[in-house]
């Protein structure tokens, strides 16, 4: 079943031959043929909205149409619309004038009335006629119209001297309005499709328009090429009529030669007359041109004089020998000399002695470089020295070479810069000192955290050893009783040895775990998170169970209740790998479980009916490994929740906590292992969450 047609609103205006309405009200033109072919291929239903150029532009800005065509591309317009990436065709503006008017450059449009299209890119852009005229000091009277047709009509009726339109419209319609084209061209642009900015439909339209337009340009016999031949071929074809006239003139040359011989005497008289007339005309034109040049020169001199004398910086003109030939008022005011005194001085007389060789270098450079800059130290008439940045430019006047020097006093700026640099150096040293202090404090806090953890571990080992020591003591006593009663035999001794070694091995493993726990990690390694979590938690398992706290561990959804280490270890089958420092991680986990134990114990002391539970869970999802320590203890009050990770801040009674554990835990996880540590209030209780980036199962790299 075919997809439903997409409704697209297209804004157009009268712009022959790119797109227009003919006498019968039918839409035609180069852009229309292209858009029609794209609509058929993409199953678009096009609704054309016909209006004037300014109105269609406003409709696009307001989102009342989806596409505006044709429209010239420039960066200024991208602020309120989006353009297709593919160029439809290149275009530029062209001035045409009423026959009989001479206009070979922008200067010839001075005091002329030019009809222009309102908001046209060839009028308003940075390279449009309005800005170019300002740069050249040309005054143009602009007559605004709604369409190019109206602009040409104003010229034909004598209301304007000329008009500005795009080159295709000018070439196609100039003769109809009895206009002559000039060589004054404006702002070459790429003609594209304009679209509504930030519309959800725009990205799809741009993609389809670019794709189809590219296909057309490169396909032999495409609609693009056929339409170009139909509507725009006149822009690239030679002037057939002119060539025909030239051929005809060549064929008639012999006949004209014979006639000229017959009429030579009569022509000679006429020639002499014409020569005199032409000489008079040329002389008059030369006089008029000289007058215009003098007026322009006078105007430019007035502009230069105004800039020269109103500058806030001293300006001096020096000759090839270094003599001051002209200075402005600011030069007189800042140096403290009279103008007449300065005009009798050389540049080297105004600088410190050490910089006199620099002046010689400047004079040697003036014939090689047009513009350059340098620094000099000047001396004022009363002896003050100031540093200046100088912009130099070479001038050619009357066949002689001069240098214009614009002098900017930068003494205050340099002093401020030096002060700022010294201040910055001081601050950098201060920051470095503070960083060193912070690092030293962190090392001290890490040591404090290690010592606190060591105390907790010693307590855990004492709990771990108490049961096996009691068991071994019972075995020893039973051995003595059995000996007294004559019950000793081989089976009894073997069983006694096995049971005793089992308890001794358990105690030995506890010592190994304790030793490895405080062994410093020098390098990051890949380790198995579930195993390290189980090993760390099991060190506190006996202590928790004897305190009446139930310990539950969950690995990827499989929950295990702690009874003893052996049965607990056999339940671990999940494998989650992370990279970091395993002993530092175990220190963090030990601290979190100890904090959970203290919170649960406080809660049980306040309410004897509460059954304490601590749950440690390890999960992995979407490349993120999560370790959670959850308790049903007293929780964390809202007024201190934002401070619990601060150094030396503790919620415990004095003597029971250092306030270092959570702070160092956060540094270990977030700085050393590039993870995240945070908490959530569970009501009742608290959940602390450690997030680390998980890795695939290791194959070739070392693991722990």
């Amino acid at each position: 079943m075919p997809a439903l047609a997409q409704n697209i609103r297209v804004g157009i205006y009268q712009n022959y031959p790119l797109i227009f309405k003919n006498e019968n009200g039918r839409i035609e033109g180069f852009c229309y043929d292209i858009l029609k072919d794209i609509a058929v291929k993409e199953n678009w239903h096009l609704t054309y909205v016909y209006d004037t150029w300014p109105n269609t532009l406003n409709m696009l800005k307001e989102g009342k149409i989806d596409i505006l065509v044709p429209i010239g591309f420039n960066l200024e317009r991208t602020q309120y619309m989006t353009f297709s990436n593919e160029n439809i065709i290149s275009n530029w503006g062209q001035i045409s004038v009423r026959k009989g008017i001479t206009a070979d450059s922008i200067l010839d449009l001075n005091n002329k009335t030019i009809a222009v299209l309102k908001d046209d890119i060839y009028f308003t852009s940075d390279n449009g006629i309005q800005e170019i005229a300002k740069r050249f000091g040309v005054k143009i009277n602009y007559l605004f119209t709604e369409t190019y047709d109206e602009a040409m009509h104003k010229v034909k009726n004598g209301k304007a001297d000329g008009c500005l339109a795009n080159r295709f419209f000018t070439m196609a319609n100039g003769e109809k309005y009895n206009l002559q084209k000039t060589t004054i061209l404006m702002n070459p642009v790429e003609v594209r499709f304009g679209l509504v900015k930030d519309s959800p439909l725009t990205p799809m339209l741009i993609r389809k328009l670019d794709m189809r337009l590219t296909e057309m340009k490169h396909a032999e016999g495409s609609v693009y090429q056929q339409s170009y031949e139909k509507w725009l071929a006149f822009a690239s074809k030679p002037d057939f009529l002119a060539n025909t006239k030239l051929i005809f003139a060549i064929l008639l040359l012999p006949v004209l030669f014979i006639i000229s011989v017959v009429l030579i005497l009569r022509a000679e008289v006429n020639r002499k007359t014409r020569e005199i007339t032409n000489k008079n005309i040329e002389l008059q034109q030369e006089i008029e041109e000289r007058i215009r040049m003098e007026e322009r020169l006078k105007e430019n001199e007035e502009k230069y004089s105004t800039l020269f004398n109103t500058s806030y910086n001293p300006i001096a003109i020096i000759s090839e020998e270094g003599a001051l030939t002209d200075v402005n008022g600011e030069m007189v005011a800042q140096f403290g000399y009279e103008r007449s005194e300065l005009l009798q001085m050389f540049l080297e007389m105004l600088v410190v002695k050490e910089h006199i060789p620099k002046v010689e270098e400047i004079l040697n450079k003036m014939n090689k470089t047009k513009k350059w800059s340098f620094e000099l130290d000047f001396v004022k008439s009363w002896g003050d020295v100031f540093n200046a940045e100088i912009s130099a430019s070479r001038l050619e006047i009357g066949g002689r070479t001069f240098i214009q020097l614009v002098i900017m006093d930068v003494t205050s700026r340099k002093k401020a810069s030096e002060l700022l640099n010294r201040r910055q150096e001081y601050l950098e040293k201060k920051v470095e000192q503070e960083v060193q202090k912070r690092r030293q404090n962190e090392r001290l806090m890490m040591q404090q955290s290690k010592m606190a953890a060591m105390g907790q571990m010693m307590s855990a080992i004492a709990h771990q050893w108490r049961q096996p020591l009691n068991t071994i003591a019972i075995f020893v006593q039973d051995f003595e009783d059995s000996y007294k009663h004559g019950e000793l035999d081989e089976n009894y001794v073997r069983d006694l040895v096995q049971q005793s070694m089992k308890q001794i091995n358990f105690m030995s493993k506890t010592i190994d775990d304790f030793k490895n726990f405080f062994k410093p990690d020098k390098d990051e390694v890949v380790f198995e998170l579930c195993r390290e979590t189980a090993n760390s938690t099991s060190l506190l398992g006996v202590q928790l169970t004897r305190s009446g706290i139930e310990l539950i561990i969950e690995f990827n959804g499989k929950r295990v209740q702690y009874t003893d280490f052996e049965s607990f270890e056999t339940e671990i089958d999940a494998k989650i790998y992370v990279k970091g420092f395993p002993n530092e991680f175990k220190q963090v986990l030990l601290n979190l479980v100890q904090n959970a134990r203290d919170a649960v114990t406080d809660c049980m002391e306040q309410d004897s009916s509460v059954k304490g539970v601590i749950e440690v869970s390890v999960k992995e999802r979407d490349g993120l490994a999560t370790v959670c320590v959850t308790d049903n203890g007293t929780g964390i009050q809202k007024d201190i929740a934002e401070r619990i990770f601060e150094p030396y801040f503790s919620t415990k009674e004095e003597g029971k906590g250092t306030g270092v554990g959570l702070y160092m835990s956060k540094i270990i996880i977030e700085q050393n292992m590039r993870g995240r540590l945070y908490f959530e209030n569970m009501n009742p209780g608290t959940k602390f969450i450690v997030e680390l980036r998980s890795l695939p199962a290791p194959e070739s790299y070392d693991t722990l």
Side-chain angles (χ1 to χ4, degrees), residues 61-72:
K61 293 178 181 178
E62 296 168 1
K64 295 181 180 179
I65 56 175
D66 303 305
I67 300 175
L68 175 59
V69 67
I71 182 167

Side-chain angles (χ1 to χ4, degrees), residues 554-646:
E554 179 182 344
F555 297 111
N556 268 348
K558 185 174 181 179
R559 295 168 64 86
V560 180
Q561 183 175 355
Y562 179 87
T563 54
D564 61 77
F565 181 75
E566 288 186 0
S567 63
F568 174 67
E569 191 176 32
T570 59
E571 299 291 340
I572 304 173
D573 56 2
K575 301 293 182 183
I576 301 174
Y577 296 93
V578 297
K579 189 175 184 180
F581 304 93
N583 284 342
E584 291 188 359
F585 168 74
K586 286 190 287 188
Q587 181 182 346
V588 171
L589 192 61
L590 176 65
N591 183 63
L592 296 180
V593 174
Q594 290 280 24
N595 286 345
R597 183 202 63 186
D598 294 342
V600 171
T601 302
D602 290 344
C603 189
M604 293 170 65
E605 290 176 354
Q606 295 172 12
D607 187 353
S608 59
S609 64
V610 173
K611 179 176 177 59
V613 178
I614 295 177
E615 182 175 331
V616 180
S617 64
V618 184
K619 299 179 182 179
E620 180 189 27
R621 184 176 181 182
D622 297 332
L624 190 67
T626 305
V627 181
C628 300
V629 178
T630 308
D631 64 70
N632 63 341
T634 55
I636 299 174
Q637 299 177 7
K638 290 184 178 180
D639 57 340
I640 63 171
E642 295 182 356
R643 300 186 59 198
I644 64 168
F645 290 111
E646 294 180 3

Side-chain angles (χ1 to χ4, degrees), residues 432-445:
E432 185 177 356
Q433 293 173 358
E434 292 299 323
V435 170
Q436 292 298 330
K437 288 181 181 179
R438 181 182 180 89
R439 289 175 179 170
Q440 185 176 1
N441 289 336
E442 287 181 355
R443 286 194 293 269
L444 290 173
M445 285 188 285

Side-chain angles (χ1 to χ4, degrees), residues 649-661:
F649 178 80
S650 176
T651 60
K652 300 176 183 178
E653 297 179 6
E654 186 174 354
K656 292 186 177 181
T658 63
V660 176

Side-chain angles (χ1 to χ4, degrees), residues 453-703:
M454 185 177 293
Q456 294 170 350
M457 287 298 296
M458 292 297 294
S459 176
I461 290 172
H463 282 278
Q464 292 280 67
W465 275 20
R466 186 173 288 113
Q467 180 63 34
L469 285 173
N470 289 336
T471 303
I472 292 174
I474 292 171
F475 287 162
V476 172
Q477 292 173 0
D478 186 65
F479 182 81
E480 183 180 10
D481 292 340
S482 298
Y483 174 76
K484 290 179 180 180
H485 293 88
E487 296 175 353
L488 291 177
D489 56 19
E490 184 178 353
N491 290 334
Y492 177 86
V493 173
R494 184 185 301 113
D495 183 60
L496 180 64
V497 171
Q498 289 178 353
Q499 293 295 329
S500 298
M501 290 305 299
K502 178 180 179 181
Q503 298 300 324
I504 292 171
N505 288 334
F506 175 76
M507 295 170 67
S508 177
K509 186 178 186 307
T510 302
I511 290 298
D512 289 338
D513 290 341
F514 174 75
K515 178 180 65 176
N516 292 331
F517 182 83
F518 290 100
K519 182 180 180 181
D521 292 317
K522 295 183 179 179
D523 300 312
E524 285 186 298
V525 296
V526 176
F527 63 92
E528 204 286 296
L529 190 62
C530 296
R531 187 180 69 187
E532 297 300 329
T533 302
N535 290 342
S536 302
T537 310
S538 65
L539 294 175
L540 299 175
V542 174
Q543 187 177 1
L544 293 176
T545 54
R546 289 184 178 175
S547 299
I549 300 173
E550 181 182 359
L551 174 61
I552 298 174
I553 296 190
E554 179 182 344
F555 297 111
N556 268 348
K558 185 174 181 179
R559 295 168 64 86
V560 180
Q561 183 175 355
Y562 179 87
T563 54
D564 61 77
F565 181 75
E566 288 186 0
S567 63
F568 174 67
E569 191 176 32
T570 59
E571 299 291 340
I572 304 173
D573 56 2
K575 301 293 182 183
I576 301 174
Y577 296 93
V578 297
K579 189 175 184 180
F581 304 93
N583 284 342
E584 291 188 359
F585 168 74
K586 286 190 287 188
Q587 181 182 346
V588 171
L589 192 61
L590 176 65
N591 183 63
L592 296 180
V593 174
Q594 290 280 24
N595 286 345
R597 183 202 63 186
D598 294 342
V600 171
T601 302
D602 290 344
C603 189
M604 293 170 65
E605 290 176 354
Q606 295 172 12
D607 187 353
S608 59
S609 64
V610 173
K611 179 176 177 59
V613 178
I614 295 177
E615 182 175 331
V616 180
S617 64
V618 184
K619 299 179 182 179
E620 180 189 27
R621 184 176 181 182
D622 297 332
L624 190 67
T626 305
V627 181
C628 300
V629 178
T630 308
D631 64 70
N632 63 341
T634 55
I636 299 174
Q637 299 177 7
K638 290 184 178 180
D639 57 340
I640 63 171
E642 295 182 356
R643 300 186 59 198
I644 64 168
F645 290 111
E646 294 180 3
Y648 302 111
F649 178 80
S650 176
T651 60
K652 300 176 183 178
E653 297 179 6
E654 186 174 354
K656 292 186 177 181
T658 63
V660 176
L662 284 178
Y663 171 72
M664 292 310 304
S665 296
K666 194 170 184 68
I667 287 179
I668 289 170
I669 295 300
E670 296 189 354
Q671 294 187 13
N672 297 2
M673 298 181 67
R674 297 177 294 279
R676 185 184 177 206
L677 171 61
Y678 59 100
F679 76 94
E680 297 176 356
N681 273 318
M682 301 302 294
N683 194 26
T686 310
K687 177 193 286 188
F688 277 86
I689 302 128
V690 176
E691 292 181 351
L692 298 170
R693 182 62 57 188
S694 64
L695 300 173
E699 294 179 358
S700 59
Y701 46 79
D702 297 333
T703 61

Side-chain angles (χ1 to χ4, degrees), residues 364-381:
N364 293 333
K365 196 174 183 180
M366 73 184 300
N367 290 322
K368 301 176 183 178
T369 308
K370 191 168 184 180
K371 290 185 178 181
W372 71 102
S373 59
F374 51 90
E375 290 188 11
L376 285 176
D377 287 344
F378 286 97
V379 182
K380 297 182 179 181
S381 63

